Amino acid sequence: REEDCVIQIYSDPERAAAQKEKLEIARSKTGEKFIVLIIGAFSSGKSSMINAMIGEELLPTGFLPETAVLGELHYGEEKRITLYPKKGCWEGGDEPFDLKKTTSDEIERYVSLSADDAINAMEKNAMDSESTSKIDSKFEKMVIYWPLNILKDGVVLVDSPGINDPYSNDYIVNDYLPHADAIVYVMDSQKAYQGTDRA
């Protein structure tokens, strides 16, 4: 059917042949991962958008920055969430482990920022313009396996910490950028295209 479409679109046989070659190249890549990085300022709705795509309230959301860890969403027949600790940072050890429950509350226990730490860092940064209070997570990343049709052909959605959050976590997003095949930039509709978004 794809070849028939190429022939219909490109009536010139030489152009059709060239397009069929491109089609073969595209087919050969089927099964490779296609990474879509979801980025935007903190509390702009990145996690909410992914929750809407999943059809469940899985990722924690809130007014304060919630996501402190990259969350890769892969296709899986069984729902499973695996956490990857940073070396020497988590009291449970350095080996990846699966969460017992695949719920928002369980994710929040491990990868969300503490509200107290968040408020303290914001207040400290507000009082001292040269201060950049950094809150580091104990985890490198979270990998979620979910039976979501749009992920079946190798698409990976990546939820990221907010850009320009008060804890200097931009480096997490910047380090991941070269791995992305596509970027979806999310903006808060109430204050879209501010200086942070333009930058």
Side-chain angles (χ1 to χ4, degrees), residues 41-56:
F42 74 87
S43 296
S44 59
K46 300 179 298 295
S47 299
S48 295
M49 185 185 84
I50 293 174
N51 284 342
M53 294 171 83
I54 295 171
E56 294 180 46

Side-chain angles (χ1 to χ4, degrees), residues 80-84 96-99 141-145:
R80 182 165 53 99
I81 301 170
T82 306
L83 286 174
Y84 291 79
F97 64 96
D98 290 347
L99 296 184
K141 68 177 178 176
M142 168 178 61
V143 177
I144 301 170
Y145 298 93

Side-chain angles (χ1 to χ4, degrees), residues 3-184:
E3 287 179 14
D4 287 345
C5 287
V6 168
I7 291 164
Q8 291 297 319
I9 294 167
Y10 299 98
S11 54
D12 174 35
E14 283 182 29
R15 287 192 68 204
Q19 293 304 319
K20 277 164 67 170
E21 277 180 38
K22 289 181 184 174
L23 181 60
E24 285 308 314
I25 292 167
R27 279 185 184 150
S28 72
K29 291 186 176 188
T30 301
E32 288 182 12
K33 299 292 181 201
F34 185 83
I35 297 171
V36 181
L37 180 61
I38 315 292
I39 65 174
F42 74 87
S43 296
S44 59
K46 300 179 298 295
S47 299
S48 295
M49 185 185 84
I50 293 174
N51 284 342
M53 294 171 83
I54 295 171
E56 294 180 46
E57 292 296 315
L58 176 66
L59 300 174
T61 60
F63 175 71
L64 289 171
E66 289 283 340
T67 306
V69 176
L70 282 165
E72 294 182 354
L73 191 63
H74 297 253
Y75 181 79
E77 295 289 336
E78 305 280 324
K79 293 178 179 179
R80 182 165 53 99
I81 301 170
T82 306
L83 286 174
Y84 291 79
K86 290 179 180 173
K87 285 238 183 283
C89 291
W90 188 58
E91 54 278 5
D94 295 340
E95 292 301 311
F97 64 96
D98 290 347
L99 296 184
K100 290 186 172 103
K101 297 183 221 160
T102 55
T103 65
S104 178
D105 290 343
E106 188 77 352
I107 290 172
E108 195 167 358
R109 282 184 53 213
Y110 289 93
V111 301
S112 286
L113 299 168
S114 147
D116 290 339
D117 288 347
I119 290 166
N120 290 340
M122 286 165 69
E123 286 174 354
K124 187 176 176 188
N125 290 347
M127 287 190 289
D128 181 0
S129 61
E130 293 184 23
S131 173
T132 52
S133 291
K134 192 168 164 182
I135 301 176
D136 268 332
S137 169
K138 297 174 182 180
F139 299 96
E140 196 70 47
K141 68 177 178 176
M142 168 178 61
V143 177
I144 301 170
Y145 298 93
W146 218 255
L148 190 62
N149 280 337
I150 62 166
L151 305 174
K152 259 190 173 173
D153 293 325
V155 172
V156 177
L157 295 177
V158 182
D159 190 24
S160 64
I163 292 173
N164 203 30
D165 71 12
Y167 331 111
S168 307
N169 280 326
D170 288 13
Y171 75 96
I172 296 171
V173 179
N174 291 334
D175 288 351
Y176 200 87
L177 278 171
H179 304 286
D181 296 299
I183 294 168
V184 174

